[in-house]
Amino acid sequence: MIIFLIAILIVTGAALSPVHAQSWQLPTDAQRCPSKWGAADERGSGNHMKPETVLRAVRLIRTGEVFELGRVLRPDMPFSPGRKYFMEMKRTTMNAGRNRRGSNEEIVYTELGQVGAQFDGFAHQTIGDSLYNCNNPAEISTRTGFTKLGVQNVGTLMTRGVLIDVAALRGVEMLPDTYPITVDDLQRALQRQKVTLQPGDAVIINTGWGRLWDTDGARYLKTNPGLTTAAAEWIAKQDPMLIGADNGPVGVTPDPDPQLSNPVHQIALVVNGIHLLENLKLEELAGKQVYEFALILQPLKIQGGTGSTVAPVAVR
Amino acid sequence: MIIFLIAILIVTGAALSPVHAQSWQLPTDAQRCPSKWGAADERGSGNHMKPETVLRAVRLIRTGEVFELGRVLRPDMPFSPGRKYFMEMKRTTMNAGRNRRGSNEEIVYTELGQVGAQFDGFAHQTIGDSLYNCNNPAEISTRTGFTKLGVQNVGTLMTRGVLIDVAALRGVEMLPDTYPITVDDLQRALQRQKVTLQPGDAVIINTGWGRLWDTDGARYLKTNPGLTTAAAEWIAKQDPMLIGADNGPVGVTPDPDPQLSNPVHQIALVVNGIHLLENLKLEELAGKQVYEFALILQPLKIQGGTGSTVAPVAVR
Amino acid sequence: MIIFLIAILIVTGAALSPVHAQSWQLPTDAQRCPSKWGAADERGSGNHMKPETVLRAVRLIRTGEVFELGRVLRPDMPFSPGRKYFMEMKRTTMNAGRNRRGSNEEIVYTELGQVGAQFDGFAHQTIGDSLYNCNNPAEISTRTGFTKLGVQNVGTLMTRGVLIDVAALRGVEMLPDTYPITVDDLQRALQRQKVTLQPGDAVIINTGWGRLWDTDGARYLKTNPGLTTAAAEWIAKQDPMLIGADNGPVGVTPDPDPQLSNPVHQIALVVNGIHLLENLKLEELAGKQVYEFALILQPLKIQGGTGSTVAPVAVR
Amino acid sequence: MIIFLIAILIVTGAALSPVHAQSWQLPTDAQRCPSKWGAADERGSGNHMKPETVLRAVRLIRTGEVFELGRVLRPDMPFSPGRKYFMEMKRTTMNAGRNRRGSNEEIVYTELGQVGAQFDGFAHQTIGDSLYNCNNPAEISTRTGFTKLGVQNVGTLMTRGVLIDVAALRGVEMLPDTYPITVDDLQRALQRQKVTLQPGDAVIINTGWGRLWDTDGARYLKTNPGLTTAAAEWIAKQDPMLIGADNGPVGVTPDPDPQLSNPVHQIALVVNGIHLLENLKLEELAGKQVYEFALILQPLKIQGGTGSTVAPVAVR
């Protein structure tokens, strides 16, 4: 009898505190290293980029319609704390010569790897003092860049893109401020859209939150709907080339577990070596119900960089 | 008889002083404005970017092989005078939370529109105090960018790319220091390669000069083989989407006419509204004799910017 | 009779519209050039800096008490539109060697000549396309500085400083938002303080507005009490080394004449070649009624610069 | 007898290998902490700055002659590795208004605390992971500055300055490339100059090396004459306000002990909390044999900064 009562208490407790029951735990080093791509691997999910991947993407281009998913770089766009973007147009130089050639150029000061629509590389995040594939920052970080894992290694990514429109699944243009996207949400959305994921895909989540980028930057940054740790882990199991979203952190912010700070970033970048793509503009893609497309992005080759601002497109 | 002798002298004079005979003359405003794309046009050759253009490019992708044509961004790469690139990796921030998430990011200071492999927009060059389509800098320039002609308007360009390998035509890996590429060179190279140009193409010139980028930056910058004004004007008549090269100025430097300063830049950007793509890495493409391919590039959406560093690819 | 009535109307009209009656008029080039310091002069009021000036200042130092008049440089201080200040602390470098020497340094990005407590040089302002002493910007401006009038020529300034406490004269800690300081205000304040001006003085105006620097930056910038054009011209006639204030523009903002934009800046810098010193912290000096003191400031030698942030002191 | 011979060998060995005999040893934490200024002290030798110090300096001002000891800030000046200085003059803004007021300003990008003639604060150097007064960088360092020991706390320093002209002592204008200045050198130079040190002095060493700043920056940086550790420790015992020199590291570079990296920096900043002043221009001061003077410097109030570029003067 007592055992029975205890059992009931345990079950009730679990039911009442879902967080504690499913608390995400940091994997141990042994659990995540070496990477499935090899002990010396620096490329992570970028290893999916092969000629076949390009062809797979190309096959999805039927009309040549291009959707710009990137952001205009301007000083007043939303920034994660501490970041900025400034551009100063230099004075015009009139060159010598009878052709009266005037030249204009600008100087830019910004966290070039982490502003606008941004692509994260593997030097960006750590678990304690450990990076992707258990690289040690103390050994590979310098004042002018990381000697391994730098974003200059990525190159153009061109692959099949799949939009998982969770907002549409929930019948809204924009999910609520801290809506936690579950595995169930993802699976039902894919079902509804009649699309399945394949290894090497660019998995793009539409939350609708990107609509705030131009209209309410403060709200855009304060919290956001996004993936739960479980949802992120489920996507990771689908072996994608990258996970993208129309928000900054990709993961729901704040995470339901108040003791966790953006764990989805760690799940993707540190644990699984999967690239992230953030702050996308998805209204058009979602509005036209474009669920399958060629995704193309070109991270700048910032030597030793943690990531790159990008201007990606979806093409169909 | 005297008239006959005078005629001979004139012909001989013309033959002996080709520069004076064919000196490039700045077109008048009336000759170049309004642009063929319309009096209010800001996009110039970017107007070629249509769904059909994408399909035309896609049809050339057979194997999915990708050639990276861009450059690693590093502080010690070659720069036109006055330009620079610096990246400082910030201190790691350990975020609060039990998941011990560390964050890394870098601050970059550079002429983001004009370093590395770079794409020129139409705010970059003037003839006197006039820009493409006779836009007036005094009316559209501000400290923080141009209010018209900004590179943020360009978007991804994806089109048929044609490599014109002038170095191979001349039987060398690298053309001489100030080799002036003529119309005849271009035509014979195309003939040799059995390729013809089509409107909307990305016309990419291989001089071989790009080999110096990593090995002898001083020489790379000092002079370069490149297009003569006549060759540039001939390409312009082919109505391309852009003209690219594995050098900085695209035009031969110095121009054979010592009174001209980089007139090819004006012919392309100011007179014809044709984009330029510079400092490309073409060794692999030329080495494998890839003359026809899909060219993809994604200029950053630098609001009001004169251009953008890019990481373009050729795909076949 | 009619003429008499017309005369009365004219006089009345002038009396009723003081702005129109005393509207400040831009001097002609002939009226201000060449400078009284000579046609080739670049130093303006800095020419007052002589050994005698230093001794004159030193004689005022009796107790050695130092008043810091400068501002802490921080990213969130008040800025004139378009200006900024950022400092990023680099990663620590551990140098090789058994002495385990670690090094820290920061990178700063700012309008170094025009932030914080700032000292204006003569390249900073123009009347149309003319600078101090009728220098032509087109001839002396470059992308990397002015070839004449640069602030690197100034050097340390050490002179007798006189505080004119207009706020105290008016019986307040802080003058109202757009209080226009008149010649009468200045003269009565000096009388009240029993101090007279001498050539070569640093004339420092206390408006009390500086109290808002740390507490209400938005209000600090929006408007400010300050000198009228007449008051500025009167001070200029006293032949000072510089005019300083605890506000940004020195002149009242907005000027009572809505068609004028900060004319006091032009009166000082362009017309008379008198340096300006802005955004000072004067609470302590005014609170202790220190009206005469040695003023010491050290503009950085920014080659070709328009000014310099400074950390000046008053010593008595 | 054997003991006698052994003694001789020991003495000879010591004489022949001064390095090994007198190798500088890092002090333990207990030996240097807490600082003599107190366990919570952040100001170190800046604590010498009192009214009496100012008066002591003022008493040395007899003629008002000013010697500029600072450097023009320009992009091509000598830099320690990794440092830079860039200034871009913005486009002129024409303000609205009938007074046609044009404004010029520049944007600067530089290690503002560590370029030109520079003043070092106590956040600049560590012994292992410990700063001055055993402050722990992990506790007080942030991406945007140090929360303790920041240079904004220093304020103007005005004190008696003493030039120790070691070059003149040795009968040269410039000491040899790696000349190690000994305690004996300092004492004999002071004797020759008939000057003695007092607590709170600014002790300025003339090596003559500063002559290379404008003429041979590469040589200036490669090595330099300077203080030995013993000489630095001897000066520290004289309880100065700061130690300055016309070289970058102050200490001889390289140090005679090849296993030490710039130990003089640690002796001054970390062990003793004594400020350093580097890259001074001393030719005039030394040339005119000015051995005693008022030294005035005004470090910028860079919040949380490691130091500040300065434009100091000697006045007599």
Side-chain angles (χ1 to χ4, degrees), chain A residues 23-26 51 54-55 58 61-64 66 68 70-74 82-85 87-90 94-114 123-128 142-146 155-156 158 257 259-263 266 296-306 309 311-313 315, chain B residues 23-26 51 54-55 58 61-64 66 68 70-74 82-85 87-90 94-114 123-128 142-146 155-156 158 257 259-263 266 296-306 309 311-313 315:
Chain A
S23 271
W24 181 71
Q25 297 304 325
L26 281 170
V54 174
L55 293 181
V58 159
I61 301 178
R62 306 261 166 70
T63 62
V66 175
E68 292 279 340
R71 297 289 182 184
V72 171
L73 298 174
R74 49 185 178 81
R83 296 180 188 157
K84 59 206 75 76
Y85 172 90
M87 180 261 249
E88 332 265 358
M89 188 58 67
K90 293 184 183 180
M94 287 307 299
N95 299 278
R98 67 177 173 85
N99 53 324
R100 302 184 287 124
R101 187 172 68 91
S103 294
N104 294 306
E105 61 190 57
E106 54 278 300
I107 190 81
V108 173
Y109 179 75
T110 187
E111 288 80 2
L112 191 62
Q114 302 288 340
H124 180 44
Q125 300 280 283
T126 74
I127 290 176
T142 81
R143 275 185 176 165
T144 54
F146 283 79
T156 287
M158 183 168 175
D257 180 346
Q259 293 186 342
L260 293 177
S261 163
N262 201 341
Q266 289 175 317
I296 310 176
L297 65 146
Q298 296 186 329
L300 299 175
K301 302 178 188 306
I302 299 169
Q303 183 166 272
T306 65
T309 190
V313 292
V315 190
Chain B
S23 269
W24 183 69
Q25 296 305 324
L26 279 171
V54 174
L55 294 180
V58 159
I61 301 177
R62 307 263 166 70
T63 63
V66 175
E68 292 280 338
R71 297 289 182 185
V72 172
L73 298 175
R74 48 185 177 81
R83 296 179 189 157
K84 58 206 79 73
Y85 171 89
M87 179 262 249
E88 332 264 359
M89 187 60 65
K90 293 184 183 181
M94 288 306 300
N95 298 280
R98 66 177 174 85
N99 53 323
R100 301 185 287 124
R101 187 172 68 91
S103 294
N104 294 306
E105 62 190 57
E106 54 278 298
I107 191 81
V108 173
Y109 180 75
T110 187
E111 287 81 2
L112 190 61
Q114 301 289 342
H124 181 43
Q125 300 279 282
T126 74
I127 290 175
T142 80
R143 276 185 175 165
T144 53
F146 283 80
T156 287
M158 182 169 177
D257 180 345
Q259 292 185 341
L260 292 178
S261 163
N262 201 341
Q266 289 175 316
I296 309 176
L297 68 146
Q298 295 186 331
L300 299 176
K301 302 179 187 305
I302 299 170
Q303 184 166 272
T306 66
T309 188
V313 292
V315 188

Side-chain angles (χ1 to χ4, degrees), chain A residues 40-62:
Chain A
D41 180 67
E42 294 185 44
R43 291 206 67 202
S45 65
N47 282 302
H48 276 296
M49 187 62 185
K50 297 181 178 3
E52 308 85 73
T53 319
V54 174
L55 293 181
R56 203 162 60 96
V58 159
R59 278 195 289 271
L60 295 168
I61 301 178
R62 306 261 166 70

